[in-house]
């Protein structure tokens, strides 16, 4: 058999394998979407909030971040100057406020309608700091955000997405006059609080390791 024909056969087999692998990945993604449609929808809402916050953050002033620090732990100046214990408390408190809001919405008949709005608002706050730092300080702001803020923010975002999903299920059950499984709900909410605690620890650790490498003078 000519060498060119053998090469074509090998290429054809590789292409078939690649197409088969792509097909399997598509089926897996489709299966995940069918199993977790609410989580996927909430993730999209959260990411839209981050994108909106990043855009607005590029045109805002640092004073806005100071005013929103309690809700979003957004002040990069406080992160750079506060003690590690203060950073941990501020980080956990800001995320706990949203977790508590999701808990209260779970117990409301119409809470499931407000949950996406609250998720968008939290995502907006997460993107606000990143957009401001990058537009104002360029690559230094980007790397500061990537090393110091983003790790804890990602874990916090995952925890709040899980909280939103569980809250929506309970609120929807109440609306449909079904009996919610409160035991399972509070157990899972305990896991959410543990994740928020870990995200605050991670926030404190990354700040301790990397915040001293950056200085911001406007």
């Amino acid at each position: 058999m000519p060498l060119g024909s053998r090469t074509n056969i090998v290429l054809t087999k590789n292409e078939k394998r690649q197409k088969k692998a792509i097909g399997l990945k598509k089926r897996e993604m489709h299966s995940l979407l069918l199993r977790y449609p609410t989580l996927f929808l909430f993730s999209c809402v959260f990411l839209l909030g981050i994108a909106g916050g990043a855009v607005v953050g590029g045109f805002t002033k640092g004073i806005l971040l100071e005013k929103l620090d309690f809700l979003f732990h957004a002040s990069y100046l406080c992160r750079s100057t506060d003690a590690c214990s203060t950073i941990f408390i501020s980080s956990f408190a800001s995320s706990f406020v949203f977790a508590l809001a999701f808990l209260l919405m779970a117990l409301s008949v119409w809470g499931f309608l407000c949950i996406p709005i609250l998720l968008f608002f939290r995502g907006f706050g997460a993107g606000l700091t990143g957009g401001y730092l990058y537009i104002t300080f360029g690559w230094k702001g980007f790397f500061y955000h990537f090393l110091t803020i983003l790790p804890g923010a990602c874990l916090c975002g995952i925890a709040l997405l899980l909280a939103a999903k569980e809250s929506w299920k309970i609120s929807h059950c109440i609306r449909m006059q079904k009996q919610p499984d409160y035991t399972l709900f509070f157990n899972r909410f305990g896991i959410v609080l543990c994740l928020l605690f870990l995200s605050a620890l991670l926030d404190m650790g990354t700040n301790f390791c990397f915040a001293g490498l950056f200085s911001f003078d406007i």
Side-chain angles (χ1 to χ4, degrees), residues 66-212:
E66 302 296 325
K67 291 180 179 179
L68 296 176
D69 186 52
F70 176 73
L71 280 177
F72 303 126
H73 193 40
S75 174
Y76 66 97
L77 293 176
C78 291
R79 285 174 176 270
S80 301
T81 57
D82 285 348
C84 289
S85 57
T86 305
I87 292 170
F88 171 80
I89 293 171
S90 299
S91 179
F92 185 75
S94 66
S95 56
F96 181 77
V97 168
F98 284 87
L100 182 61
F102 285 130
L103 178 62
L104 295 175
M105 287 181 184
L107 306 177
S108 170
V109 175
W110 299 106
F112 72 99
L113 294 176
C114 301
I115 288 170
I117 299 173
L118 189 62
L119 265 180
F120 180 89
F121 186 58
R122 175 65 192 194
F124 183 87
L128 196 67
T129 307
Y132 173 79
L133 286 171
Y134 181 70
I135 296 298
T136 306
F137 301 107
W139 285 106
K140 182 171 73 170
F142 171 81
F143 283 115
Y144 175 84
H145 183 264
F146 181 79
L147 293 173
T148 307
I149 300 175
L150 196 58
C154 286
L155 185 55
C156 177
I158 292 171
L160 292 180
L161 280 172
L162 294 176
K165 173 177 170 289
E166 296 302 321
S167 296
W168 187 90
K169 285 169 60 177
I170 295 297
S171 178
H172 187 65
C173 283
I174 294 173
R175 177 175 172 269
M176 300 301 293
Q177 297 183 347
K178 297 179 180 179
Q179 180 60 38
D181 190 346
Y182 288 110
T183 301
L184 181 62
F185 171 69
F186 285 112
N187 286 338
R188 290 180 175 176
F189 225 86
I191 295 173
V192 168
L193 292 179
C194 290
L195 289 175
L196 293 179
F197 183 84
L198 291 176
S199 74
L201 282 177
L202 183 59
D203 211 14
M204 180 183 69
T206 53
N207 191 86
F208 177 78
C209 294
F210 301 114

